Amino acid sequence: MPDHLSRIVAARVNEPGAIAAAATRRVKATALLGEHGRAMIVAADHPARGANRVGADPSAMADRSRLLDRLCIALDRPGVTGVLATADILEDLLLLGVLDGKSVFGSMNRAGLAGSVFEIDDRFTGYDAATIAAMGFDGGKMLTRIALQDPITPSVLENTARAVDELNDRQLIAMVEPFISVWENGRIRNDLSTDAVVKSVTITSGLGRRTAYTWLKLPVVDDMERVLASSTLPALLLGGEVKDADAAFASWGKALKQPTAQGLVVGRSLLYPSNGDVAGAVDRAVSLL
């Protein structure tokens, strides 16, 4: 990867137009779902929110060379259909030429920095719908944390609704990742109880003036049958940071049997598995599909 890193930096310094040219040359995905009938999307938008920790390593995702190396391995595995990331990472991957035939999703709101006093105020500081369309990508993702006791929440919902509208108007996927969140000891915690996740789904399913292109990105919790029955919007299951791989894979497999579940969006648990085998972790996830 050091050679690849040198190529990326050289292009950014000497030929910044190479990024747009690479986007124009890119062979787009013919479908969002793979031959297995499901999406398998690798997520790597964590660093832009200051969330670099993986396990005991507080800065694992902050090493760009390692992250790109792992992303290239993951994207090369059979059955992987796409990637989700911020502009800096997607542009690196474009310059490396590894996005052909993949669906690509731009991360849109990253201002709610992990651990900050303004974490719930997750403003749109990443991609916008116009740029996602201009780059030939497939959609945009927005984290939508709903803190019922925090007065900033209406603005969070309004900004998400506006992004949903702008993506739907362009017939691009609006991937909404909702949580009911609470402040505890100065930090935001996502409520992963079944009732809370169901409530987050029903709230965000109604955002925007159109929902034809709106998909949900949901955590896997207890009683996913009830969660996935609370909306007809297509849902992708998020992985999060996995401590027990066997339990996580079992829960993903069970949830994927529900009709609205259309695949997985997984990041750290595939890119930084405890045994270091990125290809093996990705292949195991694909096998669930």
Side-chain angles (χ1 to χ4, degrees):
M1 183 54 70
D3 289 341
H4 290 171
L5 207 62
S6 296
R7 285 169 44 204
I8 291 169
V9 174
R12 287 184 175 279
V13 171
N14 301 311
E15 194 182 357
I19 294 169
T24 300
R25 291 194 307 270
R26 185 178 74 88
V27 178
K28 299 179 183 179
T30 56
L32 290 176
L33 305 181
E35 293 181 356
H36 38 54
R38 293 286 190 271
M40 178 67 245
I41 300 169
V42 180
D45 61 343
H46 313 71
R49 206 169 63 80
N52 295 309
R53 176 180 293 277
V54 180
D57 186 346
S59 58
M61 296 192 77
D63 187 318
R64 181 55 55 88
S65 180
R66 288 179 61 202
L67 176 57
L68 291 175
D69 189 26
R70 290 162 184 260
L71 279 167
C72 288
I73 292 171
L75 288 167
D76 193 46
R77 302 308 299 168
V80 173
T81 63
V83 63
L84 159 65
T86 46
D88 56 330
I89 293 173
L90 290 182
E91 290 172 356
D92 287 347
L93 294 174
L94 280 170
L95 290 171
L96 292 177
V98 297
L99 296 183
D100 283 351
K102 305 298 182 184
S103 59
V104 181
F105 296 88
S107 191
M108 302 178 75
N109 59 329
R110 296 281 85 188
L113 302 183
S116 68
V117 296
F118 51 86
E119 186 169 351
I120 198 64
D121 190 3
D122 215 344
R123 302 183 191 186
F124 283 66
T125 55
Y127 275 109
D128 57 22
T131 303
I132 290 170
M135 295 293 284
F137 296 160
D138 298 274
K141 171 253 184 174
M142 60 224 72
L143 177 61
T144 305
R145 289 174 291 193
I146 304 162
L148 299 178
Q149 303 301 318
D150 194 311
I152 203 67
T153 293
S155 295
V156 173
L157 295 175
E158 181 182 27
N159 289 335
T160 295
R162 184 177 298 113
V164 166
D165 288 341
E166 292 174 353
L167 289 164
N168 269 267
D169 287 349
R170 293 169 170 83
Q171 299 182 5
L172 296 170
I173 298 298
M175 187 190 298
V176 186
E177 180 181 4
F179 291 99
I180 299 295
S181 303
V182 295
W183 284 103
E184 287 185 352
N185 300 318
R187 299 181 70 88
I188 281 287
R189 177 183 66 82
N190 295 327
D191 186 343
L192 297 181
S193 67
T194 303
D195 287 341
V197 177
V198 167
K199 181 182 288 188
S200 75
V201 169
T202 61
I203 292 170
T204 53
S205 293
L207 293 177
R209 59 176 177 258
R210 295 176 181 168
T211 62
Y213 293 88
T214 302
W215 289 38
L216 300 174
K217 179 174 180 273
L218 301 175
V220 177
V221 298
D222 292 336
D223 200 358
M224 280 302 289
E225 293 87 350
R226 187 153 67 90
V227 171
L228 293 170
S230 60
S231 175
T232 56
L233 298 182
L236 298 167
L237 309 178
L238 68 90
E241 187 168 359
V242 171
K243 296 180 180 178
D244 184 337
D246 290 337
F249 279 95
S251 63
W252 296 345
K254 182 179 179 182
L256 283 166
K257 296 177 181 177
Q258 301 306 307
T260 52
Q262 300 300 305
L264 298 169
V265 182
V266 189
R268 287 171 291 188
S269 58
L270 298 188
L271 295 174
Y272 298 86
S274 58
N275 64 2
D277 183 5
V278 176
V282 172
D283 291 347
R284 185 178 181 189
V286 169
S287 72
L288 298 174
L289 307 178

